[in-house]
Amino acid sequence: TCFVPDFKVDLHCEENNKAHNTDEISVKRLIVRRGKSFILTFCVDLKSFQALDPLQLAVETGPQASQSLKTKAVFEILPANAAGIGWNARVQAKSSSSVTVAVSSPEDACIGEYSLSVKRGSSSRSIGKFVLLFNPWCEGKFHNERQEYVLNEHGIVYRGQSNGIQPMPWTFGQFEEDVMDICLRLLDVNPKCLRNAKEDCSARCNPIYVSRVLSAMVNAADDKGVLEGKWDGNYCDGVAPMCWSDSVAILRRWDQRNCNCVKYGQCWVFAAVLCTTLRCLGIPCRVVTNFESAHDTDGNLTVDHYCYDLGVTPNAKDNVFFYLCIDIGTSISQYDGWQVVDPTPQERSDGTYCCGPAPVKAILEGHTNLKYDVPFVFAEVNADIVTWRMNSDGTKTRMFSDTKEVGQNISTKAVGSYERMDITRNYKYPEGSAKERQVFEEAVRRCQRLTIRGGISDVSPATPDVSVKIVEVGQSINGKDLDLSLSLRSDQSKPLTLKIQLNARAVLYTGFSISNVWSKAFEVKLLPNKEENLFFSIPFSQYGTCLHGADGIKVTAVVSDIGGSEAMYGAEKTIVPKMPSLTITVSTSFLYHSIPSLLSAILNGKHSKLHTVLHPNDIFPQIMFASYRTTCFSFIPQMYNAAFILYVLL
């Protein structure tokens, strides 16, 4: 047995953390990224250090760590000019009173908390602990975007409808000191770790595995996850999803409650919390909103809607709404670049409520035979909507198909600014193009379940003889009647007698109908090769009260040929009435003198009653971001918006 003397080891936490871009998390503990060296200094004179030869270092993570699982490594301290592979250490500098060593980890090392010790023969002594994270600087990708997709603690999530996109500031806060420990705890309580901890820790070398685990753990559908989802509007025993604006508050609440779920979340909250955990652990990611997103429950790459003779459509399992997910920057086989990961519990994947990572390049090309969950994500952005008529005898008749509605204005925050960036072209070819239809057919062809069900005979439906479209006339304003137009055009050679059934329903953003609003039926004669625009209005007196708790008004038109063929056509459109604009004029002196002092008092807690009225999210994003860590900053008049001034005056 060789004795290891008790000498001091300096971990250089502040210096190492700055070099590894982790100093925002802490400078009091060692946090480094894999594939990049960090330094240790042995405070011992050179002669005594040389007398310890051979001296080894040992690192290990997780229970029952072993070299075969790559959760443990033992390696000698080599001379400065020696080459090292895997975990290795080389002498970097010597002095009369110390020896500095550079320790390197492999680029595919397991992430997590490690113990670090020195060994000499069979004797060893612990010299500390450190946390090893993924290293987006190591792979050479996302060179110009790391500041945004790894280091930026603030961002924008987009909600609303494709014709009424609403930006919402969000604080990710991935570098708050306790967030990293919470993220590691999330990994430690995931079901795979509870079943086999040593195998789970060994798999944490793979960002695909880690992102899939976190996708499952952000929701609480089938594990000790962070957030419980709820969509029925009743949030009295928790926090309404629209009230969250900060991932840190959610993660801390979950941690403080001993891993009991936080109530409640919806898609944008799930996505934002997942973004925080991924960025914290070093996986580049961005929050993405897909407007008119399809939820395909039966895996046939279509969204099936059903209507009765009067045009009333019951709530279906398949639906269309706005939806948020996460793009992560990693590689799956030849599909490098962005991968879709979705933490909202919609469908099970390998028995667990998670989704992805699905390569964006595979989604674009319709390669639905690949891991993970590519068919589901492909349907989210490019499914066809098929509307069926439910007949009185229980049978159904295919009425029409919409190949263009799903997947619009796919959005994310632009790099380095607060502008919206449209990334639809990354996910799908232009709607209406031959390439888009070709890719859809390829997607169906590759999906094994569809082949079993009878092939792809209906993937390119015939163009209907009568085109039907619902159009907004001007801007729809909440508080005013909704003015719309039903556009009809016939390609037939003879006049048609058509029965028109119009219906309007209040719907949640998920597409779920909560109440009927308005209906109208009439007949019209449509001449051949002529467009007819039929104007109609939905009175505010009928839709106003129905909007409470709803996200929009879905208008449906069912058109029946009652003059001979009995063919049916249709269209639908979701209207999101905009709030009326409000202009408030105040004096320049009020802007310069009253607001800065009032805001400073609120942020310093001197007006706690007002603080509940003036939430940082209601202020321009730059003010919110500055106030997150400090209450002392400059005030610029242009940064105040009308909402802020209104709150103060009220």
Side-chain angles (χ1 to χ4, degrees):
T1 301
C2 299
F3 175 68
V4 178
D6 186 12
F7 49 77
K8 181 182 176 183
V9 179
D10 187 351
L11 300 181
H12 296 284
C13 295
E14 183 171 358
E15 181 181 350
N16 282 320
N17 291 8
K18 285 183 178 179
H20 286 251
N21 295 288
T22 61
D23 54 309
E24 285 291 317
I25 301 175
S26 177
V27 293
K28 298 178 181 179
R29 54 194 292 202
L30 184 58
I31 307 167
V32 293
R33 300 188 185 274
R34 65 184 193 176
K36 181 179 175 67
S37 64
F38 58 95
I39 60 172
L40 310 172
T41 296
F42 294 91
C43 300
V44 59
D45 64 86
L46 182 59
K47 185 175 181 181
S48 299
F49 184 82
Q50 291 172 337
L52 295 174
D53 188 57
L55 190 66
Q56 296 177 312
L57 292 177
V59 295
E60 59 181 77
T61 182
Q64 298 176 277
S66 71
Q67 291 177 309
S68 62
L69 292 173
K70 297 184 178 180
T71 53
K72 179 180 180 179
V74 179
F75 45 96
E76 294 184 5
I77 300 176
L78 303 173
N81 57 354
I85 59 173
W87 283 96
N88 66 87
R90 289 172 291 179
V91 174
Q92 188 178 65
K94 304 175 183 177
S95 72
S96 59
S97 59
S98 67
V99 176
T100 298
V101 172
V103 179
S104 296
S105 61
E107 294 183 3
D108 62 349
C110 303
I111 67 158
E113 186 177 54
Y114 280 77
S115 62
L116 176 64
S117 58
V118 291
K119 293 176 64 70
R120 187 168 178 244
S122 59
S123 178
S124 66
R125 182 171 67 84
S126 173
I127 58 175
K129 293 184 177 182
F130 66 95
V131 174
L132 189 68
L133 303 178
F134 290 114
N135 190 355
W137 284 263
C138 192
E139 297 181 357
K141 298 175 183 177
F142 302 98
H143 178 74
N144 298 320
E145 295 90 6
R146 292 173 188 137
Q147 179 64 40
E148 182 70 47
Y149 298 138
V150 180
L151 301 180
N152 197 349
E153 293 190 76
H154 308 283
I156 301 289
V157 296
Y158 294 96
R159 302 175 62 231
Q161 301 288 335
S162 59
N163 59 347
I165 298 175
Q166 303 168 5
M168 178 182 180
W170 194 276
T171 299
F172 298 116
Q174 68 268 26
F175 294 144
E176 290 300 297
E177 187 167 1
D178 55 342
V179 168
M180 183 186 70
D181 292 323
I182 296 172
C183 292
L184 295 177
R185 188 180 188 185
L186 264 175
L187 294 178
D188 288 342
V189 299
N190 92 81
K192 294 180 179 179
C193 185
L194 297 178
R195 285 194 299 266
N196 191 331
K198 63 179 183 180
E199 291 288 347
D200 176 79
C201 290
S202 176
R204 295 180 191 178
C205 62
N206 189 344
I208 295 171
Y209 177 84
V210 171
S211 63
R212 194 162 169 80
V213 166
L214 290 175
S215 168
M217 288 302 298
V218 166
N219 72 74
D222 46 17
D223 47 38
K224 296 176 72 68
V226 176
L227 275 164
E228 179 180 337
K230 198 170 189 181
W231 289 266
D232 63 5
N234 181 12
Y235 312 114
C236 59
D237 59 338
V239 177
M242 57 286 301
C243 292
W244 297 113
S245 61
D246 179 0
S247 300
V248 179
I250 296 170
L251 290 167
R252 283 174 175 165
R253 187 172 297 194
W254 173 82
D255 186 54
Q256 292 163 1
R257 292 180 175 181
N258 196 27
C259 307
N260 287 312
C261 67
V262 177
K263 301 177 179 181
Y264 291 101
Q266 290 180 7
C267 61
W268 69 92
V269 188
F270 288 114
V273 172
L274 179 59
C275 180
T276 295
T277 62
L278 292 170
R279 287 186 183 181
C280 178
L281 297 181
I283 299 176
C285 64
R286 61 187 182 184
V287 179
V288 174
T289 304
N290 176 36
F291 293 96
E292 311 304 329
S293 181
H295 182 181
D296 175 24
T297 59
D298 50 13
N300 62 356
L301 302 189
T302 65
V303 174
D304 298 305
H305 288 174
Y306 304 90
C307 73
Y308 297 109
D309 290 339
L310 294 178
V312 178
T313 57
N315 290 311
K317 291 182 179 179
D318 289 353
N319 48 35
V320 178
F321 47 94
F322 89 86
Y323 197 72
L324 283 90
C325 58
I326 291 290
D327 278 353
I328 65 170
T330 185
S331 298
I332 297 179
S333 184
Q334 75 271 30
Y335 297 92
D336 61 347
W338 292 112
Q339 322 283 324
V340 177
V341 181
D342 187 349
T344 303
Q346 295 190 88
E347 301 293 330
R348 291 184 185 272
S349 174
D350 293 337
T352 302
Y353 279 108
C354 66
C355 180
V360 171
K361 289 183 179 179
I363 297 164
L364 176 67
E365 301 297 340
H367 295 174
T368 53
N369 57 319
L370 301 175
K371 291 182 176 182
Y372 290 89
D373 308 303
V374 175
F376 184 81
V377 181
F378 179 89
E380 284 187 309
V381 301
N382 208 19
D384 284 356
I385 299 175
V386 181
T387 302
W388 303 85
R389 174 185 176 181
M390 302 300 295
N391 303 317
S392 57
D393 60 359
T395 62
K396 62 182 182 180
T397 303
R398 182 168 180 157
M399 293 172 52
F400 52 87
S401 298
D402 187 335
T403 64
K404 299 179 180 180
E405 179 180 349
V406 169
Q408 297 184 22
N409 295 335
I410 301 176
S411 304
T412 191
K413 177 186 174 297
V415 175
S417 78
Y418 294 105
E419 298 298 318
R420 183 182 70 88
M421 182 167 65
D422 192 301
I423 55 175
T424 308
R425 290 284 182 98
N426 293 356
Y427 288 82
K428 58 194 293 189
Y429 289 98
E431 291 289 2
S433 67
K435 182 66 173 178
E436 187 274 333
R437 282 293 91 189
Q438 178 186 339
V439 166
F440 187 85
E441 294 178 7
E442 178 70 12
V444 177
R445 193 176 290 115
R446 286 181 177 235
C447 190
Q448 294 179 356
R449 285 181 294 178
L450 295 181
T451 304
I452 294 171
R453 293 179 184 182
I456 58 171
S457 58
D458 287 335
V459 295
S460 297
T463 303
D465 294 331
V466 176
S467 64
V468 183
K469 188 177 183 180
I470 299 172
V471 181
E472 290 183 75
V473 179
Q475 191 176 60
S476 297
I477 302 296
N478 195 351
K480 295 184 178 181
D481 295 350
L482 305 179
D483 296 322
L484 305 167
S485 171
L486 181 66
S487 176
L488 302 171
R489 181 179 177 83
S490 171
D491 292 330
Q492 295 192 17
S493 59
K494 60 181 180 179
L496 299 176
T497 301
L498 303 176
K499 179 182 177 182
I500 313 294
Q501 177 67 51
L502 299 174
N503 286 286
R505 295 167 292 138
V507 295
L508 301 175
Y509 83 90
T510 58
F512 191 87
S513 175
I514 58 176
S515 64
N516 293 321
V517 172
W518 171 91
S519 65
K520 183 179 182 180
F522 56 94
E523 294 181 8
V524 66
K525 180 160 286 191
L526 183 62
L527 299 177
N529 298 311
K530 183 180 179 181
E531 184 170 329
E532 187 82 26
N533 291 304
L534 307 175
F535 295 93
F536 63 97
S537 295
I538 303 174
F540 173 73
S541 59
Q542 290 188 248
Y543 81 79
T545 56
C546 299
L547 270 183
H548 294 303
D551 296 299
I553 304 293
K554 177 166 284 189
V555 183
T556 304
V558 175
V559 180
S560 307
D561 180 0
I562 59 176
S565 69
E566 297 185 356
M568 298 185 71
Y569 315 92
E572 62 181 23
K573 186 177 184 66
T574 300
I575 309 298
V576 183
K578 293 181 171 58
M579 296 301 293
S581 60
L582 178 64
T583 302
I584 298 176
T585 303
V586 296
S587 67
T588 304
S589 61
F590 182 83
L591 283 173
Y592 273 104
H593 302 296
S594 302
I595 290 183
S597 59
L598 178 59
L599 181 58
S600 178
I602 291 172
L603 292 174
N604 282 290
K606 296 179 181 178
H607 293 285
S608 57
K609 184 176 181 180
L610 279 176
H611 192 270
T612 62
V613 177
L614 180 63
H615 190 278
N617 256 8
D618 297 320
I619 312 173
F620 210 68
Q622 288 92 325
I623 292 183
M624 182 192 73
F625 298 161
S627 67
Y628 189 77
R629 292 181 180 274
T630 179
T631 60
C632 183
F633 49 87
S634 300
F635 293 89
I636 304 173
Q638 296 93 313
M639 294 171 68
Y640 306 126
N641 63 6
F644 170 75
I645 298 172
L646 177 62
Y647 284 148
V648 172
L649 295 179
L650 291 178

